[in-house]
Amino acid sequence: MRAVLIFVACGAAWAQSPPDLELFQKTLTGYVTPDGRVYYQKLHDNLGDLDRYVAQLAKVSPQSHPALFPSREARLAYWMNAYNAIVLWAFAKDYPSGANRLRNKAGQAQFFFLRKFPIGGRQRSLDDIEENSIRKEFGDPRIHFGLVCASVSCPWLSKTAFTAGNLDSELNRLTRQFLSQPRNL
């Protein structure tokens, strides 16, 4: 069930709702492999659902519309999905040239620290979102295993979007998955 806020100003009413998570879920289902890799070329050619989801993220966040995200789990799920969606969107949008830019430290710094993305009415870097809206606010070490960085050495991207209802079980599953892979230990 999606929460919807109704605002009335000067006699006009409009609805504000959280981003449509189904758009992001369709992207994960359609373009992420069981081993967490992404079909970036195919996603690049079919960005419609992810474009719409990222456009919705630009307008709404737990900071801009706190009533839409009533629980800790709803807020953390929003931020983790937002981070992963923005990484996927930016990487796929610039694919394949963006992949080449991330092969060195300067390109990584540009992508994660300097590049800004609109989210909840503000311009934010991926590092700012990860550090300030996710890690500092929630302090859960399992978060690391649910964030994608578009690198083979990072945890696998889940084919399942985070929700308030599945957050704890999904973080547990992703943590176990990462720690059970010999490449990580």
Side-chain angles (χ1 to χ4, degrees), residues 24 27-28 31-32 37-51 54 83-102 111-112 115 117 126 148-151 157:
F24 186 45
T27 299
L28 294 172
Y31 301 99
V32 177
R37 295 178 188 264
V38 178
Y39 295 118
Y40 281 110
Q41 184 63 58
K42 289 180 181 179
L43 182 56
H44 171 81
D45 296 340
N46 299 289
L47 275 172
D49 288 334
L50 191 54
D51 272 336
V54 169
Y83 182 93
N84 287 343
I86 290 169
V87 169
L88 283 177
W89 175 80
F91 200 79
K93 186 173 165 107
D94 294 340
Y95 191 82
S97 62
N100 294 328
R101 285 194 296 271
L102 290 181
F111 186 75
F112 289 100
R115 188 169 175 186
F117 301 92
L126 288 165
V148 64
C149 68
S151 171
L157 177 60

Side-chain angles (χ1 to χ4, degrees), residues 56-82:
Q56 292 172 8
L57 293 172
K59 297 175 185 171
V60 175
S61 76
Q63 292 168 333
S64 67
H65 295 80
L68 295 176
F69 308 93
S71 68
R72 178 186 188 282
E73 293 79 12
R75 291 187 301 276
L76 180 53
Y78 169 91
W79 285 117
M80 292 189 69
N81 289 326

Side-chain angles (χ1 to χ4, degrees), residues 123-140:
Q123 294 292 317
R124 309 272 309 270
S125 72
L126 288 165
D127 179 68
D128 177 34
I129 294 167
E130 180 179 359
E131 292 303 319
N132 296 309
S133 294
I134 298 175
R135 293 192 189 282
K136 283 183 185 172
E137 183 172 339
F138 298 99
D140 187 330

Side-chain angles (χ1 to χ4, degrees), residues 157-174:
L157 177 60
S158 177
K159 289 178 67 82
T160 304
F162 294 103
T163 65
N166 78 7
L167 182 68
D168 195 52
S169 62
E170 191 64 10
L171 287 174
N172 283 338
R173 184 186 71 75
L174 293 169

Side-chain angles (χ1 to χ4, degrees), residues 103-116:
R103 294 188 194 280
N104 61 59
K105 294 286 185 196
Q108 292 169 11
Q110 172 66 31
F111 186 75
F112 289 100
F113 296 91
L114 301 176
R115 188 169 175 186
K116 305 286 186 185

